[in-house]
Every structure is written in C-alpha cells, then in structure tokens.
Amino acid sequence: MRRIFLICFLTLPYNIAGAQGTSLYIEDLTWPEIRQAIASGKTTAILYVGSTEQNGPHMATGKHNFVAHYVAGLIAAKLGNALVYPTLPFAITGDLVQRTSHMRYPGSVSLTPQVFAGVVHDVALSAIDAGFKYVAVMGDHGDGQNVLATVVKQLDAEWRPKGVRVLYIPDLYFKEKQQAAAFESARGVRRDVHAGTDDTSELMAIDGAHRWIRYDKLTLSATQQAAVGVDGDPTKATPALGRIFIDYKVEDAVAQIRQEIGRK
C-alpha cells in the first residue's frame, strides 16, 4: 500500500524584521516580494531544523522549534543578506517501532533517517530553485546531524559547479553545546544533556508569555528526572542564561556561514 507523508512546517507569531522593517521569514512574504528580495541581495537561505520531542514535565515539546524559529531570524538579521525558510518541526528522535529514546514519551515525533534526509534535501532544493545562491542548513536537535551533513555534502557537490553553495553549519549545535557546558561548569552546574539548564534557559529567554515552561515542575530529584526524560538541572535555568546561550548560537552560525561562503 502506498504511503503518503504530509510534512508540516512551523509558523510562530514572533518574527524578526530586517533593516527596512520587512519580515525575514519567507512565509510572511508573497512570491514577488521574495523574488525582489533575492534580486536585491538576499542571496542566502536559512534552513533550520527543529524537533518535536519530550522535554520533561516542565517544558513544551516544541522547545527546539520555538528556539530554531527565533534564532534563525537573528542569524538572518545579523548576516544582512538572508531569508529564513519555515522551521522543519520534525527530526530523528527515536525508533518508531521499538519506541526508543524520546519516542518512549507521548507527543514526541520521529522521522526515519530516509524520510528526514528526503525532506531536508527537497526543501534545500526548493531554495535553490527560488534563486538563492547559498543555502545554510543547521539543526537544533542532536540526532540527525550526520544526516544533515550527508545531504548537504551531496547537494553541494552537485550544485557547486553551477555556482550555488549548500552549507552545513554544525557549529550552531556542537560548538554552542561546548560553550554552554564550559559556562555552566565554571558556575558549578552539573552535567547538562537534555531539558536541563541550557535547554530550559533558552526557552525561558523567548517565553515572555510563560506559555511553554511549567515553573512548578522544575524541581525534581535526580532519580525523578531520569524517569521523566530530563538529564540536567533545570532549576538553574534563567532567561539571562538563555540569552547568553542564544547569542552563542547566533555568533557561531554567522561566523561559520561567512567562513564557508568565503571558501570558493
């Protein structure tokens, strides 16, 4: 039996505008506006992958998506020549049959590596078809980073001779994690893997309406945390820390995008 996959993308109410006050998110724009933006110098497309997954009892499953959508706009604004493609809210979060990793918890969504690779490939190709000269691909979720790297390598090999670059930006995830871990370690925060200080702080920083954090669920013992999908200490999270970690992501991504574009 033939299966039909419906892949949805995320639109959020807070969008970041460029210097002229125009949104940097393509879902806010009409196609003539996008064409004009590209003709006027918006040559880079930002493809930022999120994830829908459990984040303990204190944080909404859309954490990665909310952060990705927001950070992508900041990256585009800092670059000055970029527009943001819709956030892909699904990634690889566990085995769908064996219910491993995040799939042990209701609400998590997982794509197989093949489907995930296909969707990323086709969205990147859509950006190329639109006329973008550079497509920067990055992910806010750990699992599937290798898939992003493989897809980008294939596309870049195909399109680079035609004057188009497809760029994988791992520093946004891996370098930021190292920076956040060093920052936390220097302040006595214990090992932080998932839904702990780092993740919770980032969401706090953009959750001004208090929609996505359950503050009465932050305090759990280490034993309780292990049973509910938390690996870290969310009690140490603050919006101020979140802004620091988000700045790491933006700076790391912008620096690597510029570096990769500079390699002809």
Side-chain angles (χ1 to χ4, degrees):
M1 180 175 67
R2 187 165 60 96
R3 295 181 178 179
I4 299 175
F5 294 96
L6 177 62
I7 304 298
C8 299
F9 293 83
L10 189 73
T11 301
L12 291 173
Y14 53 83
N15 284 354
I16 296 168
Q20 305 303 317
T22 303
S23 175
L24 298 175
Y25 298 85
I26 67 164
E27 64 258 45
D28 291 335
L29 307 176
T30 67
W31 73 261
E33 291 168 342
I34 296 169
R35 181 180 63 182
Q36 180 58 43
I38 295 171
S40 300
K42 300 292 188 186
T43 55
T44 300
I46 304 295
L47 173 50
Y48 197 152
V49 179
S51 178
T52 301
E53 64 191 50
Q54 72 82 20
N55 291 288
H58 68 283
M59 196 156 47
T61 59
K63 170 204 71 185
H64 280 306
N65 302 325
F66 307 145
V67 171
H69 184 88
Y70 180 74
V71 172
L74 294 179
I75 292 169
K78 194 168 185 67
L79 285 171
N81 66 344
L83 292 179
V84 178
Y85 266 65
T87 303
L88 175 60
F90 307 130
I92 302 169
T93 65
D95 189 282
L96 290 159
V97 177
Q98 301 298 322
R99 297 179 65 186
T100 60
S101 190
H102 299 308
M103 293 309 296
R104 293 174 293 161
Y105 304 90
S108 298
V109 179
S110 189
L111 300 181
T112 63
Q114 295 81 7
V115 171
F116 182 58
V119 173
V120 173
H121 175 279
D122 288 358
V123 177
L125 193 58
S126 296
I128 294 172
D129 286 347
F132 288 97
K133 187 176 180 181
Y134 305 101
V135 181
V137 181
M138 60 205 78
D140 210 66
H141 173 67
D143 290 341
Q145 292 284 340
N146 60 327
V147 176
L148 295 180
T150 298
V151 171
V152 167
K153 183 177 180 180
Q154 293 170 346
L155 281 169
D156 193 54
E158 177 182 355
W159 285 94
R160 190 168 184 167
K162 304 172 187 178
V164 176
R165 295 295 316 280
V166 185
L167 315 170
Y168 173 50
I169 310 301
D171 282 0
L172 175 136
Y173 181 81
F174 293 106
K175 185 175 180 180
E176 186 275 335
K177 287 296 183 187
Q178 292 174 347
Q179 291 168 315
F183 189 96
E184 293 168 350
S185 177
R187 288 154 182 81
V189 178
R190 67 181 175 86
R191 185 170 177 264
D192 191 4
V193 177
H194 179 73
T197 306
D198 183 354
D199 288 344
T200 307
S201 293
E202 288 182 16
L203 195 56
M204 281 182 176
I206 63 175
D207 187 22
H210 290 190
R211 291 182 294 169
W212 304 320
I213 303 288
R214 310 295 183 257
Y215 287 86
D216 61 329
K217 304 292 186 182
L218 288 173
T219 305
L220 296 169
S221 69
T223 301
Q224 289 172 320
Q225 288 177 354
V228 293
V230 176
D231 191 350
D233 187 358
T235 67
K236 299 294 193 300
T238 68
L241 281 177
R243 287 188 286 273
I244 291 171
F245 300 151
I246 284 173
D247 283 346
Y248 287 158
K249 287 186 173 181
V250 175
E251 295 295 334
D252 292 342
V254 169
Q256 190 168 31
I257 290 169
R258 288 175 172 165
Q259 180 184 53
E260 291 297 324
I261 287 176
R263 294 175 180 172
K264 301 299 184 181

